[in-house]
Amino acid sequence: MAESSITAKGQTTVPADIRALVHAVPGTRLVWSAMPDGTIIVRAKTQSVLDLAGMLKAPKGKRIRVEDMNPWR
């Protein structure tokens, strides 16, 4: 189990083995989430939602009109 401490300024160092595991480099953003039971989850934010652009391709020959996508209107 990796461990670090918090400085008087509220800073901490992410242990080297954890940085290597998540491929963290200087500038990597961390997302902190506090759970109701006191558990803290820290995720390395390594991708942007913009990185997902172009992942899905439209099926060939199958086009749907906008009106048909919203039949309740």
Side-chain angles (χ1 to χ4, degrees):
M1 179 184 295
E3 189 174 299
S4 66
S5 59
I6 298 176
T7 68
K9 290 184 174 184
Q11 299 172 333
T12 190
T13 300
V14 178
D17 55 336
I18 301 298
R19 289 193 313 263
L21 182 69
V22 298
H23 308 288
V25 296
T28 298
R29 298 188 54 82
L30 300 176
V31 178
W32 297 72
S33 303
M35 301 290 106
D37 65 354
T39 303
I40 296 174
I41 298 173
V42 182
R43 291 185 307 114
K45 187 175 178 182
T46 57
Q47 289 187 327
S48 165
V49 70
L50 298 176
D51 296 333
L52 301 175
M55 286 183 65
L56 300 176
K57 303 292 181 199
K60 290 187 176 185
K62 187 159 187 161
R63 299 191 182 265
I64 301 173
R65 298 180 318 142
V66 173
E67 292 80 16
D68 294 336
M69 291 183 200
N70 300 314
W72 57 87
R73 289 188 179 180

